[in-house]
Amino acid sequence: MEFSSKLIEKAVDEMSQLPGIGKRTALRLVLHLLKQPKEQTGFLSQALLNMREDIKFCENCHNISDTKVCEICANTARNHQTICVVEDIRDVMAIENTGQYRGIYHVLGGKISPIEGVGPSQLNISTLVEKVKSGKVIEIIFALSSTMEGDTTNFYIYKQIADSEIIISTIARGISVGDELEYADEITLGRSILHRVPFEKTFKNN
Amino acid sequence: MEFSSKLIEKAVDEMSQLPGIGKRTALRLVLHLLKQPKEQTGFLSQALLNMREDIKFCENCHNISDTKVCEICANTARNHQTICVVEDIRDVMAIENTGQYRGIYHVLGGKISPIEGVGPSQLNISTLVEKVKSGKVIEIIFALSSTMEGDTTNFYIYKQIADSEIIISTIARGISVGDELEYADEITLGRSILHRVPFEKTFKNN
């Protein structure tokens, strides 16, 4: 792509480094900003800069937070003996939205992925193992996505804490609510039969 | 969506004001920036700010440019008596990429669209009419998109310059190269039969 202006070219170059944004989309976004009042670009740039400069991570669970300890960890009404291990802040938000979980979280910051060059040392794994070894934890719930990377990460952590006397569980895999059986893949369907639950549970818990 | 950090919330809010970017995509982009070095966010913000503050429009054709007169208008080797009327900079880039056009452009900055509240006075129409009245122009080529808004804009301009003794043309509408006839809509197919061209032209010009 040849641009008639270096300024546009630079803006498009930077924009298109974001994931899922190609040069064409970047140009569309940049031209949109040009049609809007100057303040909008100012607000956007400032919000991004402030976010990147001043963001903090909770000392305890590594969740993104504006304070040293995040709201969830600071909440004494929650069960601090149950830790749900998740990949990032989006998973915390998703589980919080269900309203079904009253324990705390541990945010790993990613999954072990040799393809993307992410090893265990880049993730918040050691602090999790320390927490388990401290003896204050009763249950660990793995809530990573059900992919090869997720399973690898689960297993890597499991091996380090398997000798502790705590309950280690993963979230249930099975048929999604509203799904038709005939379209479910066989692994999911197979697991959902193996891990069947007493029928009464389905209406008692909800 | 509830965020654990006001900084993230603000960044997501600003990001999601861009066209085609919802809250979820905005959050994904913002989390991506958080994982990258701080400089990347700095470069992005600065590029956007510089672009918005310092961008200039060519005095002659209203194309985006870093100089008072854009490269195309400043190029004396081009035919300044033929003006191609386009909607925005992307159309200039698209036509330049074909390498088939040696005239200059006139960028309207949009199309007349009552639904989006864009009237003729918000577009660069008066300067185009002046150019035509000055008598230095021999041909005007309308290259707006073939939509109701595009046709309206073409017609609005046409009415103001129809009494000038210049050639007024539009780019050809027809079957795209590589398209199967059976999937073409009937209006396009109909036009392409009405406006058929001598067969020799198809291999002489290319």
Side-chain angles (χ1 to χ4, degrees):
Chain A
M1 266 195 198
E2 288 221 9
F3 295 94
S4 56
S5 155
K6 288 272 169 231
L7 292 165
I8 292 275
E9 188 172 355
K10 186 94 188 86
V12 168
D13 273 353
E14 290 292 339
M15 266 293 200
S16 60
Q17 298 203 10
L18 295 173
I21 308 250
K23 292 258 176 187
R24 265 168 196 270
T25 310
L27 180 59
R28 193 162 54 86
L29 297 180
V30 164
L31 289 182
H32 171 84
L33 283 176
L34 269 186
K35 281 191 188 171
Q36 303 298 313
K38 280 188 184 176
E39 294 82 51
Q40 188 175 336
T41 311
F43 289 148
L44 171 63
S45 303
Q46 204 52 52
L48 292 179
L49 280 178
N50 286 350
M51 183 271 298
R52 193 65 188 83
E53 285 294 326
D54 300 336
I55 205 83
K56 288 192 194 72
F57 294 92
C58 171
E59 282 182 347
N60 187 42
C61 71
H62 310 287
N63 190 7
I64 288 167
S65 164
D66 290 343
T67 46
K68 270 190 156 187
V69 174
C70 75
E71 273 181 34
I72 296 172
C73 289
N75 185 348
T76 49
R78 297 187 76 122
N79 174 2
H80 283 238
Q81 295 178 313
T82 305
I83 297 180
C84 181
V85 180
V86 294
E87 195 186 323
D88 71 17
I89 164 185
R90 280 176 289 182
D91 305 323
V92 174
M93 287 165 65
I95 297 176
E96 283 298 287
N97 273 342
T98 68
Q100 298 286 335
Y101 181 65
R102 299 300 299 160
I104 59 171
Y105 296 89
H106 186 92
V107 180
L108 293 177
K111 289 172 292 194
I112 296 173
S113 168
I115 294 172
E116 290 174 28
V118 181
S121 58
Q122 281 142 285
L123 305 176
N124 303 315
I125 291 179
S126 56
T127 47
L128 176 63
V129 175
E130 276 168 34
K131 271 188 226 171
V132 173
K133 300 257 152 107
S134 76
K136 288 178 193 153
V137 181
I138 291 182
E139 182 173 4
I140 292 276
I141 305 168
F142 287 121
L144 301 187
S145 37
S146 186
T147 58
M148 199 156 74
E149 285 89 359
D151 290 346
T152 308
T153 313
N154 285 344
F155 195 68
Y156 180 87
I157 301 174
Y158 172 76
K159 284 223 304 194
Q160 297 191 48
I161 58 172
D163 53 351
S164 321
E165 285 184 355
I166 58 166
I167 307 164
I168 304 174
S169 56
T170 75
I171 53 171
R173 313 290 184 192
I175 305 294
S176 295
V177 176
D179 259 14
E180 302 265 2
L181 275 209
E182 74 177 301
Y183 300 118
D185 67 291
E186 56 249 56
I187 298 179
T188 304
L189 192 53
R191 281 197 195 179
S192 74
I193 290 175
L194 277 178
H195 304 169
R196 60 195 176 277
V197 290
F199 182 62
E200 291 125 39
K201 276 204 178 177
T202 59
F203 48 85
K204 264 191 196 154
N205 277 8
N206 227 342
Chain B
M1 266 195 197
E2 287 220 10
F3 296 93
S4 56
S5 155
K6 290 271 169 231
L7 292 165
I8 292 276
E9 189 172 353
K10 185 93 186 89
V12 168
D13 273 353
E14 290 294 337
M15 267 291 200
S16 60
Q17 297 202 11
L18 295 173
I21 308 246
K23 292 257 173 187
R24 266 169 196 270
T25 310
L27 180 58
R28 192 162 55 84
L29 299 179
V30 164
L31 289 181
H32 171 84
L33 284 176
L34 269 186
K35 280 191 188 171
Q36 303 299 312
K38 280 188 185 177
E39 294 82 52
Q40 189 176 335
T41 312
F43 289 149
L44 171 61
S45 304
Q46 204 53 52
L48 291 179
L49 279 178
N50 286 351
M51 183 270 299
R52 192 65 188 87
E53 285 294 327
D54 300 336
I55 203 84
K56 288 191 194 70
F57 293 91
C58 171
E59 280 180 351
N60 185 43
C61 72
H62 309 288
N63 191 8
I64 288 167
S65 165
D66 290 343
T67 45
K68 270 191 158 188
V69 173
C70 76
E71 274 182 33
I72 296 172
C73 288
N75 185 346
T76 49
R78 296 187 76 123
N79 174 2
H80 283 239
Q81 296 179 312
T82 305
I83 299 181
C84 181
V85 180
V86 295
E87 195 187 324
D88 70 18
I89 164 186
R90 282 176 288 181
D91 305 323
V92 174
M93 288 165 64
I95 296 176
E96 282 298 287
N97 273 341
T98 68
Q100 297 287 335
Y101 181 64
R102 299 299 301 159
I104 58 170
Y105 296 90
H106 186 93
V107 180
L108 293 178
K111 290 173 291 193
I112 296 174
S113 168
I115 294 172
E116 291 174 25
V118 181
S121 58
Q122 281 142 284
L123 305 176
N124 304 315
I125 291 180
S126 56
T127 47
L128 176 64
V129 175
E130 275 167 37
K131 273 188 225 170
V132 172
K133 300 257 153 109
S134 76
K136 289 178 194 153
V137 181
I138 291 181
E139 182 174 4
I140 292 277
I141 304 167
F142 287 122
L144 301 186
S145 36
S146 186
T147 58
M148 199 156 72
E149 285 89 359
D151 290 344
T152 307
T153 313
N154 284 344
F155 195 67
Y156 180 87
I157 300 174
Y158 171 76
K159 284 223 303 191
Q160 297 190 49
I161 59 174
D163 52 352
S164 321
E165 284 183 356
I166 59 169
I167 306 163
I168 304 174
S169 56
T170 74
I171 55 171
R173 314 292 184 190
I175 305 294
S176 296
V177 176
D179 260 15
E180 303 265 3
L181 275 210
E182 75 178 299
Y183 301 119
D185 66 291
E186 57 249 53
I187 296 177
T188 305
L189 191 53
R191 281 198 196 179
S192 74
I193 289 176
L194 275 179
H195 304 169
R196 61 193 175 278
V197 290
F199 182 63
E200 292 124 39
K201 275 205 178 178
T202 58
F203 50 86
K204 263 191 197 156
N205 277 6
N206 224 343

